[in-house]
Amino acid sequence: MKATLPVVVAVAASLGAAIAPLHAQSLRPALDFATADAIRDHCLAAADRAGYTVAVAVFDAGGDLVSFGKDRTSPAAGAVAQWKGRSAAIYGYSTAQTATWNIPAAPMISTAQGGVPIFTTDGQDLGGVGVSGAPSEFDEACGTAAVQAAGLRVTRP
């Protein structure tokens, strides 16, 4: 029993040394679930008031789905909303802009209007939102208004 104590102390010391450098890393803002859900819900409600049924997909800066909802719309609209939102999150530009780049085969790029990036008020990227099911202009306007209602931006300052 006494022989294992020095081993435990040595292992604990080595773990402490391995973890110590992590404290020097800086934290960057991240899109939380509550904000992503608020963006989704705001857009779904705005579409309903306008008489549209849409799908809304909200992604974090790494292109991972954080929140998704669709209001009586087709599975295809849901897939397109995800395509648009992931593109906006990954590239940091609206899908209306990426459509003009003339590189439709780029990985995860959307060429259909309706995806907008999400930035903090000081311009740090948080992700993107994609909307599909209504006319493309409405999809983009809905996503933009939902991001702004959350106190965030769709363009870098």
Side-chain angles (χ1 to χ4, degrees), residues 1-154:
M1 188 73 151
K2 289 184 182 181
T4 58
L5 183 58
V7 172
V8 170
V9 171
V11 169
S14 66
L15 286 175
I19 293 172
L22 296 178
H23 297 291
Q25 293 180 353
S26 63
L27 298 176
R28 62 184 296 269
L31 185 64
D32 61 46
F33 291 114
T35 302
D37 288 350
I39 291 168
R40 177 202 63 208
D41 293 345
H42 186 277
C43 192
L44 287 171
D48 188 53
R49 286 190 303 273
Y52 295 116
T53 57
V54 298
V56 182
V58 184
F59 290 83
D60 66 17
D64 294 316
L65 185 63
V66 179
S67 185
F68 176 76
K70 63 186 190 80
D71 184 21
R72 305 175 316 272
T73 192
S74 72
V80 172
Q82 291 182 43
W83 174 52
K84 293 175 180 181
R86 184 173 284 118
S87 176
I90 296 293
Y91 291 99
Y93 290 92
S94 73
T95 56
Q97 291 174 288
T98 58
T100 67
W101 293 355
N102 198 26
I103 50 171
M108 294 184 274
I109 196 164
S110 174
T111 56
Q113 184 177 3
V116 294
I118 303 170
F119 298 102
T120 62
T121 55
D122 63 352
Q124 295 187 50
D125 63 323
L126 291 177
V129 58
V131 182
S132 183
S136 294
E137 295 80 14
F138 180 86
D139 289 347
E140 182 172 334
C142 189
T144 297
V147 169
Q148 292 170 341
L152 300 168
R153 304 174 53 103
V154 297

